[in-house]
Amino acid sequence: MQSSSAYYNHILFLFFFITSLTACTSSPSIDKERSSLKMQLAVSHIESNNLPIALKELLEAEALDAQNALIQSNLGLVYFLRKKMDLSISHYSNAIRLDPKLTETKNSLARVYIEIKQYIKAEALLNTVVEDLTYTNMTSAYMNYGLMRFNQKRFADAKILFRKVLETDRENCFAQVYLGRSHLDLQENQDAANQFEKATPICLQFRVDDAHYFSGIAHYRLNQKNKSLLRFQEVVKLFPDGTNAASSKKMIDIIQRNNQ
C-alpha cells in the first residue's frame, strides 16, 4: 500500500500532468477529470484538517463540474466543519437532489439539522437512513439519532440508541460519554459513574476530556469528593487546553474550600 505522502505526490503529479494537457483546450470530459482530481486533493486536505485549502479545491472542482453530487456533498461537509450551517445545508441538499441514493449525505445533513435544532427535518432524514438496508454506516445513524434524542431531553430513548452504537463500536468515545451523560440527566448517578469509568481510558486515546470531567461530576453528586477531585485534577493535568479545563478548575476550588 502506498504511504499517504507517496499517494499525495502521485495525485499532484497527475494533477500537473492533466493541467499541462488541457492548457490550450478543454472539453466536458477533461473538465470532469480535472474536477475529480481536485476533489480527491480536497478530501486529503479534509483528512489533514486543512479546511481552507480543501474548500478552495472543492470550489474549483465545483466550477468545473457543478452537477457532481460528491463534490456538493464534500462542500456540505467542509461548511459544516467551518460552522457555516446554511451553506452546508444548501450543498448537502444539492447533492441529494443530484443523487437521491446518497444515504451517507442524508445522514450528514441530518447531523446539521440536529446542530441547529431543526429536529423534525433531522428525524425525517434519519428515518430514511435507517430504512436503507444497504447502508453500511448504521452506527453513525444511531449516533445521530441518539444525539437528537439527548438534545430533546428524551434521555431514556437516548440511552437505548447510544447502546446500539456501542454494540458495534465499543471504542466510540462520544457514545460512551453521551450514555453516561444520559444517566446523569436521569439522576442515575451511580450508573453514570460506572459508565464514565469505562469511557475515560477510551476518550483519553482521542484526547477528549469529557469523560474525565463528567466522571468528576458523577462522583461529586455521589458525595465521593476525593474521587471527584482526582478526576477534575486529571482534566487540568491531561487536557490543559481542553473544553472542560476552566470548569474543572472551578470545581477543584469548590471541593478544596469545602474540605478546609
Side-chain angles (χ1 to χ4, degrees):
M1 181 180 294
Q2 290 179 307
S3 68
S4 57
S5 176
Y7 176 75
Y8 180 74
N9 290 334
H10 178 62
I11 290 295
L12 280 179
F13 171 78
L14 289 176
F15 170 69
F16 288 123
F17 177 69
I18 289 175
T19 301
S20 67
L21 287 178
T22 59
C24 300
T25 184
S26 182
S27 70
S29 62
I30 292 175
D31 282 349
K32 287 181 184 295
E33 290 177 11
R34 293 172 60 198
S35 175
S36 178
L37 279 171
K38 285 183 172 294
M39 183 178 69
Q40 291 176 52
L41 279 171
V43 169
S44 70
H45 286 304
I46 293 170
E47 292 171 348
S48 302
N49 201 33
N50 250 331
L51 299 182
I53 299 175
L55 180 57
K56 176 179 178 293
E57 294 290 350
L58 285 170
L59 290 173
E60 291 177 1
E62 182 187 32
L64 292 166
D65 187 6
Q67 301 304 304
N68 186 309
L70 293 179
I71 291 173
Q72 294 297 320
S73 186
N74 279 299
L75 278 166
L77 173 59
V78 171
Y79 282 124
F80 173 74
L81 294 172
R82 303 207 69 181
K83 310 298 183 184
K84 301 293 185 181
M85 300 306 171
D86 288 346
L87 288 169
S88 179
I89 290 170
S90 175
H91 286 285
Y92 275 141
S93 298
N94 284 342
I96 294 167
R97 175 180 56 79
L98 291 166
D99 186 355
K101 295 181 180 179
L102 285 179
T103 302
E104 184 65 47
T105 300
K106 294 176 184 177
N107 189 33
S108 298
L109 179 55
R111 179 68 183 84
V112 183
Y113 282 132
I114 292 167
E115 188 73 13
I116 62 175
K117 298 179 170 48
Q118 292 191 18
Y119 300 126
I120 293 175
K121 292 181 179 179
E123 186 162 2
L125 282 165
L126 288 173
N127 286 341
T128 66
V129 171
V130 297
E131 288 169 1
D132 183 355
L133 299 181
T134 68
Y135 185 50
T136 59
N137 194 18
M138 203 62 74
T139 298
S140 174
Y142 287 134
M143 186 68 205
N144 283 340
Y145 238 130
L147 184 61
M148 181 177 67
R149 294 297 184 229
F150 182 89
N151 289 349
Q152 291 173 310
K153 302 187 184 305
R154 293 172 55 175
F155 302 116
D157 293 334
K159 285 196 305 181
I160 294 170
L161 289 155
F162 294 133
R163 287 190 181 116
K164 276 184 172 289
V165 175
L166 295 173
E167 285 174 5
T168 55
D169 185 8
R170 297 297 302 174
E171 300 294 302
N172 190 311
C173 164
F174 292 104
Q176 294 276 2
V177 166
Y178 273 99
L179 177 55
R181 289 185 64 184
S182 298
H183 284 301
L184 271 181
D185 282 297
L186 289 169
Q187 305 300 314
E188 299 167 351
N189 296 322
Q190 187 59 62
D191 288 335
N194 294 341
Q195 175 57 35
F196 289 126
E197 289 300 313
K198 299 175 186 176
T200 48
I202 293 170
C203 291
L204 181 60
Q205 301 174 55
F206 298 100
R207 307 302 303 160
V208 174
D209 67 355
D210 295 68
H212 289 74
Y213 174 74
F214 286 106
S215 176
I217 297 293
H219 287 301
Y220 187 81
R221 289 187 182 180
L222 290 166
N223 204 33
Q224 298 170 347
K225 301 301 173 59
N226 289 336
K227 289 184 178 180
S228 177
L229 179 62
L230 177 62
R231 283 302 190 207
F232 292 129
Q233 289 172 334
E234 286 176 342
V235 172
V236 174
K237 179 180 178 181
L238 297 173
F239 313 94
D241 300 318
T243 55
N244 295 295
S247 297
S248 294
K249 289 177 182 177
K250 291 178 182 178
M251 291 302 300
I252 290 170
D253 289 340
I254 290 171
I255 295 169
Q256 289 178 335
R257 282 202 305 270
N258 289 341
N259 286 343
Q260 290 176 350

